C-alpha cells in the first residue's frame, strides 16, 4: 500500500456538513432546500468514487490535522482520515444510497405533509457526514468522535414526531448508542492506548491484519488485551444491535420511514457492523484473536472470536423468530435487521478468508435489500396509510411495483439465488465449511435463519398478491396459540387449512362468529405501541394521528369496495417509485454479476491486505490454520 496525502477524505466528510448550513438557510424554499440535499449527495459520491480506482490499485489517501495545520488533537493521537479499502466499502455504499434516499425522502415528507422538514433534511445530511467520517477514520479516537456525533445528529430524526412515544424512543436510542455504546468504546480505546504504550509509542491507528504493538503488548498483558477486545466489540455491538443490546432498534421505528431506512440500511447500524470489522481485522487481526484464547471452565481454551460468534448466532436466530410474531411491518423489518447484522458479525468472527469476504459483502447486500423493503413499507404508508401485515390482503393490485420490489428485497434477505444476499451467505457457508469442526453449527445456524427469513417475509408477499380483501387466510403465527386453528377467515364451509377434517373445524369454532376474524392488529396490537382510539363498543376506529389535521391518516387497510387496481407507474409519485425500482435493481445486479460489482472487489481487496497476499486466489482452499499461517509469514 502506498499512502498519499490528500484532502479528498476530508472533503467527502465536509460536503454534507456544508449542506446542513445551506439547507437551514433555504427553509423558506422547499425545492431549493431539497435541491441542496441532492446536490450534496451527488457531490459526496463523486468525491468518494474518485478515490476508488486508486484504492483498488493499492493507494491509500490520508489527511491529518497534524500534517495539515500542525495541530495535535490529543497527546500522541492525531485526528486523521484515511481512505483505505475497508473504509471505501462503507463510504461508497453510504454515499451512493444517499442519492436515492434524498429523492425518496422528499417524496415521503411531501406526501405526508410532514412538519419540521427543514430540521429533518438538515439532520439527515449531518448523519451522512458523520457516517463517512466513521468510514474514513484512521484510528480508534477519530472513529469514537464520529461514532458519538452520529448518535447525536440522528436523535432529531428518531424523535421527529415529537409525541410521547417518539421522545421515549429517542431517549432510549441515546441511552443505548451514545452513553452505553460510547462508554464501552471509549474504555476499550483507552485500554488499547495504554497497552501499546507499554511496548512502544502509544497508538490507536488501524493496521491491516492487526496492530503490531498491540500483539506485542498482549503477550505481557493477555487479560487486559482480552478485556479491551470485548469492550470494543460491545461498544460497536450496540449499534450493530447484537442481543441483548438491541432493543433500541425496534423502538426507533416511530421515526419516518426514510429515517428507518437510514438507521437500518445505510448509516447507524452499518457503522456498528463496520466498527466490529475494524476491531477484528485492523485492531487485533485474525491471528491475535485466534492466538489469545480464553480459558473457559469445563471447556478449555477458545479463541476470542468464539464467544462473539456464539452471541451472533443466537441473535440472528432469536431475532428471526421474534420477527415472525410482528404484525406491524416496520417492526418486523426491525427485528429482521437485528438478525441480518449478526450475519456480518458471525462471518467476521469465523476469521476464515471466505467467511470474512461474505461478511463484508453482506454489508452492501443487506443495505440494498433492506433499503428496498423499508422504501416499500414507506410507500405503502404514504399511499394507503396501512402499516400492518394483516391489513395488506390484496394490496398488490393497488401497488404492484412496490410489492414486486418488496418480493425482491425479501428474496435477498432469505439468501435466494440471483439476489445479493445469496452471494454473501454462500461465502460465509464456504468459510464455515473450510474451518470445519464445531463451526458446522454456525453453518447450520445460517441455513436455519434463511428458512426463518422466508417464514416472516414471504407471508407479506403472499397476502399482497395471492389473497383478496374479502377472503384471506388466517394468520396463526400472529393471532393464535402456537399451532394455529383449523379454518380460514370467513370460511362459510368450514374448510380445514391444516389438513384436519372440516367437522373438526366446525366443532372447534362453533362458538366463534365472523367478528372474531377481524384483522390480527384489531385483536393483537401489542407489538405496536401507538395508542388506539375506541368507540363505546370497543371496536378499533384508528390510530392516533401523528400528522396533525390529516384525517385520512386515521385509516388503514383496504377502503370500502376493496383496493383500486393501478398500473405500476400510477401507484405513487416518481420521487418514491424511482428510488424503489433502482435500489431493488441494484440488489439483483449484485446477485447476478457479483464479480463485476465493485463491492465484492473491494471486499476481496480488504481480505488480501489483512492476510498479506497479493491475490485472493492464494487463500482459496486453505483451512483456517493454514490461512493464519499466511498472516504469520
Amino acid at each position: 500500500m502506498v499512502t498519499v496525502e490528500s484532502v479528498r477524505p476530508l472533503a467527502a466528510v465536509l460536503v454534507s456538513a456544508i449542506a446542513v448550513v445551506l439547507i437551514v438557510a433555504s427553509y423558506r424554499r422547499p425545492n431549493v432546500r431539497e435541491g441542496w440535499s441532492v446536490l450534496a449527495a451527488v457531490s459526496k459520491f463523486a468525491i468518494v468514487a474518485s478515490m476508488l480506482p486508486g484504492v483498488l490499485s493499492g493507494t491509500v489517501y490520508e489527511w491529518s490535522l497534524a500534517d495539515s495545520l500542525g495541530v495535535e488533537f490529543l497527546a500522541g493521537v492525531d485526528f486523521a482520515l484515511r481512505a483505505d479499502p475497508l473504509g471505501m466499502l462503507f463510504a461508497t455504499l453510504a454515499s451512493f444510497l444517499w442519492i436515492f434516499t434524498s429523492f425518496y425522502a422528499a417524496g415521503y415528507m411531501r406526501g405526508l405533509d410532514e412538519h419540521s422538514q427543514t430540521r429533518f433534511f438538515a439532520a439527515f445530511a449531518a448523519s451522512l457526514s458523520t457516517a463517512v467520517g466513521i468510514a474514513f477514520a484512521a484510528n480508534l479516537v477519530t472513529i469514537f468522535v464520529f461514532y458519538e456525533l452520529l448518535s447525536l445528529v440522528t436523535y432529531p430524526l428518531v424523535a421527529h414526531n415529537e409525541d410521547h412515544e417518539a421522545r421515549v424512543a429517542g431517549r432510549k436510542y441515546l441511552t443505548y448508542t451514545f452513553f452505553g455504546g460510547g462508554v464501552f468504546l471509549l474504555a476499550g480505546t483507552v485500554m488499547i492506548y495504554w497497552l501499546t504504550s507499554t511496548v512502544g509509542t502509544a497508538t490507536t491507528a488501524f493496521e491491516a491484519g492487526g496492530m503490531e504493538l498491540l500483539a506485542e503488548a498482549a503477550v505481557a498483558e493477555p487479560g487486559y488485551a482480552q478485556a479491551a477486545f470485548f469492550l470494543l466489540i460491545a461498544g460497536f455491538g450496540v449499534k450493530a444491535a447484537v442481543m441483548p443490546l438491541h432493543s433500541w432498534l425496534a423502538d426507533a421505528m416511530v421515526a419516518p420511514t426514510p429515517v428507518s431506512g437510514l438507521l437500518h440500511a445505510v448509516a447507524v447500524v452499518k457503522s456498528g457492523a463496520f466498527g466490529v470489522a475494524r476491531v477484528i481485522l485492523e485492531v487485533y487481526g485474525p491471528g491475535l484473536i485466534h492466538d489469545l484464547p480464553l480459558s473457559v471452565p469445563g471447556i478449555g481454551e477458545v479463541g476470542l472470536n468464539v464467544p462473539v460468534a456464539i452471541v451472533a448466532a443466537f441473535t440472528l436466530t432469536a431475532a428471526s423468530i421474534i420477527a415472525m410474531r410482528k404484525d406491524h411491518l416496520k417492526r418486523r423489518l426491525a427485528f429482521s435487521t437485528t438478525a441480518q447484522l449478526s450475519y456480518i458479525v458471525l462471518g467476521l468472527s469465523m476469521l476464515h478468508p471466505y467467511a470474512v469476504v461474505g461478511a463484508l459483502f453482506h454489508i452492501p447486500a443487506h443495505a440494498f435489500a433492506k433499503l428496498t423493503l423499508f422504501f416499500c413499507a414507506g410507500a405503502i404508508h404514504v399511499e394507503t396509510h396501512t402499516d400492518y401485515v394483516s391489513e395488506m390482503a390484496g394490496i398488490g393490485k393497488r401497488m404492484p411495483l412496490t410489492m414486486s420490489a418488496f418480493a425482491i428485497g425479501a428474496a435477498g434477505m432469505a439468501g435466494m439465488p440471483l439476489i445479493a444476499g445469496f452471494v454473501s451467505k454462500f461465502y460465509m457457508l464456504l468459510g464455515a465449511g473450510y474451518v470445519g469442526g464445531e463451526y458446522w453449527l454456525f453453518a447450520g445456524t445460517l441455513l436455519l435463519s434463511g428458512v426463518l427469513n422466508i417464514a416472516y417475509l414471504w407471508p407479506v408477499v403472499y397476502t399482497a398478491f395471492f389473497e383478496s380483501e374479502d377472503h384471506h387466510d388466517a394468520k396463526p403465527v400472529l393471532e393464535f396459540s402456537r399451532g394455529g386453528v383449523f379454518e380460514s377467515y370467513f370460511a362459510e364451509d368450514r374448510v380445514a387449512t391444516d389438513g384436519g377434517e372440516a367437522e373438526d373445524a366446525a366443532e372447534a369454532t362453533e362458538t366463534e362468529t365472523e367478528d372474531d376474524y377481524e384483522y390480527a392488529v384489531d385483536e393483537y396490537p401489542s407489538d405496536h405501541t401507538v395508542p388506539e382510539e375506541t368507540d363505546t363498543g370497543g371496536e378499533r376506529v384508528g390510530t392516533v394521528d401523528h400528522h396533525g389535521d390529516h384525517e385520512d391518516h386515521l385509516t388503514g387497510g383496504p377502503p370500502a369496495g376493496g383496493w383500486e387496481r393501478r398500473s405500476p407507474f400510477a401507484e405513487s409519485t416518481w420521487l418514491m417509485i424511482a428510488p424503489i425500482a433502482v435500489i431493488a435493481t441494484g440488489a439483483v445486479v449484485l446477485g447476478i454479476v457479483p464479480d463485476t460489482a465493485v463491492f465484492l472487489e473491494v471486499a476481496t481487496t480488504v481480505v488480501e491486505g489483512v492476510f498479506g497476499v497479493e491475490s485472493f486466489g492464494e487463500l482459496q482452499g486453505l483451512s483456517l490454520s493454514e490461512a493464519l499461517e499466511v498472516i504469520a509469514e
Side-chain angles (χ1 to χ4, degrees):
M1 287 287 182
V2 178
T3 300
V4 175
E5 291 187 13
S6 174
V7 74
R8 278 184 282 181
L10 177 65
V13 174
L14 290 182
V15 64
S16 45
I18 295 172
V20 172
V21 178
L22 298 174
I23 288 169
V24 173
S26 306
Y27 73 97
R28 294 183 183 274
R29 299 176 179 176
N31 289 337
V32 176
R33 176 190 64 201
E34 288 149 31
W36 288 125
S37 182
V38 172
L39 180 61
V42 173
S43 300
K44 180 184 290 288
F45 177 69
I47 294 170
V48 172
S50 71
M51 294 184 282
L52 191 56
V55 170
L56 290 175
S57 64
T59 301
V60 173
Y61 300 93
E62 186 171 289
W63 175 90
S64 71
L65 190 63
D67 292 340
S68 299
L69 302 177
V71 178
E72 189 176 51
F73 183 61
L74 291 174
V77 178
D78 191 13
F79 186 88
L81 299 174
R82 190 169 185 263
D84 59 5
L86 184 54
M88 286 298 296
L89 179 73
F90 185 28
T92 303
L93 175 70
S95 60
F96 178 74
L97 292 182
W98 186 32
I99 297 173
F100 304 99
T101 306
S102 297
F103 285 103
Y104 180 88
Y108 183 94
M109 301 299 281
R110 291 184 180 190
L112 293 180
D113 194 20
E114 282 278 3
H115 66 93
S116 305
Q117 292 189 29
T118 299
R119 182 187 68 193
F120 173 90
F121 284 104
F124 213 79
S127 300
L128 268 296
S129 182
T130 54
V132 174
I134 290 172
F136 288 157
N139 54 59
L140 284 170
V141 173
T142 305
I143 202 173
F144 168 77
V145 172
F146 284 112
Y147 193 76
E148 293 291 77
L149 285 174
L150 180 61
S151 297
L152 291 176
V153 298
T154 49
Y155 170 79
L157 299 174
V158 175
H160 176 81
N161 286 344
E162 299 182 5
D163 57 10
H164 174 73
E165 184 187 13
R167 290 189 176 93
V168 169
R171 287 194 293 269
K172 187 173 186 178
Y173 172 71
L174 280 184
T175 300
Y176 272 77
T177 62
F178 183 78
F179 295 105
V183 168
F184 288 140
L185 181 55
L186 180 60
T189 300
V190 170
M191 291 188 70
I192 295 295
Y193 183 86
W194 171 75
L195 282 167
T196 56
S197 71
T198 62
V199 293
T201 303
T203 182
T204 62
F206 301 129
E207 298 176 30
M211 300 165 58
E212 292 184 5
L213 287 179
L214 179 61
E216 294 179 24
V219 175
E221 300 288 353
Y224 288 112
Q226 292 166 349
F229 174 79
F230 288 115
L231 283 170
L232 292 173
I233 293 296
F236 288 117
V238 172
K239 278 195 171 79
V242 175
M243 290 183 173
L245 308 173
H246 70 290
S247 65
W248 65 269
L249 192 56
D251 290 343
M253 289 302 94
V254 299
T257 301
V259 177
S260 301
L262 175 76
L263 292 174
H264 288 257
V266 182
V268 177
V269 296
K270 286 301 189 301
S271 70
F274 173 80
V276 172
R278 283 288 196 196
V279 172
I280 290 177
L281 302 179
E282 298 187 350
V283 176
Y284 280 76
L288 179 58
I289 291 172
H290 186 268
D291 297 336
L292 190 65
L294 287 170
S295 181
V296 180
I299 297 178
E301 292 186 343
V302 298
L304 294 180
N305 60 306
V306 174
V308 178
I310 291 173
V311 172
F314 172 80
T315 299
L316 67 90
T317 304
S320 298
I321 294 172
I322 294 171
M324 294 172 63
R325 292 282 292 180
K326 297 302 176 184
D327 193 23
H328 193 275
L329 181 55
K330 282 177 64 176
R331 290 184 73 86
R332 182 175 296 199
L333 296 179
F335 280 99
S336 169
T337 298
T338 300
Q340 294 291 328
L341 291 170
S342 285
Y343 277 95
I344 300 171
V345 177
L346 177 58
L348 291 167
S349 60
M350 286 193 284
L351 302 183
H352 192 277
Y354 276 117
V356 174
V357 167
L360 295 177
F361 188 70
H362 199 62
I363 293 176
H366 170 260
F368 275 85
K370 185 53 63 67
L371 193 59
T372 298
L373 295 178
F374 272 108
F375 278 4
C376 292
I380 293 169
H381 176 75
V382 170
E383 296 299 327
T384 70
H385 315 305
T386 301
D387 297 313
Y388 294 91
V389 177
S390 58
E391 295 180 334
M392 295 181 183
I395 200 172
K397 66 183 179 183
R398 169 62 177 81
M399 308 193 73
L401 186 148
T402 297
M403 297 313 302
S404 297
F406 190 97
I408 293 173
M413 291 293 95
M416 302 296 288
L418 304 182
I419 312 295
F422 171 78
V423 178
S424 57
K425 294 175 185 180
F426 180 75
Y427 272 100
M428 283 187 266
L429 287 171
L430 280 179
Y434 275 114
V435 176
E438 67 275 8
Y439 281 58
W440 281 110
L441 295 174
F442 298 136
T445 302
L446 291 170
L447 293 172
L448 173 62
S449 181
V451 174
L452 293 175
N453 288 335
I454 296 173
Y456 65 73
L457 289 175
W458 171 249
V460 183
V461 180
Y462 178 82
T463 197
F465 286 114
F466 302 105
E467 294 183 345
S468 66
E469 304 90 323
D470 299 326
H471 297 86
H472 48 281
D473 295 340
K475 306 294 187 297
V477 175
L478 288 176
E479 304 169 39
F480 308 114
S481 59
R482 273 64 175 174
V485 296
F486 285 107
E487 66 175 271
S488 298
Y489 287 125
F490 312 120
E492 297 176 0
D493 54 354
R494 303 298 185 188
V495 175
T497 58
D498 66 347
E501 297 295 331
E503 292 77 8
D504 297 332
E507 180 180 351
T509 59
E510 62 183 358
T511 61
E512 297 170 339
T513 67
E514 187 172 294
D515 290 338
D516 295 317
Y517 296 100
E518 294 296 334
Y519 293 115
V521 64
D522 295 333
E523 192 67 24
Y524 296 89
S526 59
D527 68 337
H528 185 58
T529 55
V530 180
E532 296 180 336
E533 300 172 355
T534 58
D535 60 18
T536 55
E539 295 295 327
R540 186 173 82 105
V541 297
T543 56
V544 172
D545 180 18
H546 292 294
H547 305 282
D549 55 4
H550 289 270
E551 297 298 330
D552 55 356
H553 283 281
L554 297 175
T555 62
W563 299 110
E564 175 189 358
R565 186 177 296 277
R566 292 195 183 183
S567 69
F569 300 103
E571 62 186 60
S572 183
T573 172
W574 72 269
L575 286 171
M576 302 182 75
I577 292 176
I580 290 173
V582 171
I583 301 302
T585 302
V588 176
V589 170
L590 288 177
I592 295 177
V593 287
D595 287 339
T596 57
V598 67
F599 293 110
L600 184 58
E601 185 178 358
V602 174
T604 56
T605 302
V606 172
V607 173
E608 290 168 0
V610 169
F611 286 86
V613 297
E614 293 294 328
S615 170
F616 185 73
E618 299 177 42
L619 301 170
Q620 292 180 3
L622 300 183
S623 66
L624 178 59
S625 59
E626 292 171 337
L628 294 177
E629 288 177 4
V630 172
I631 297 179
E633 294 173 358

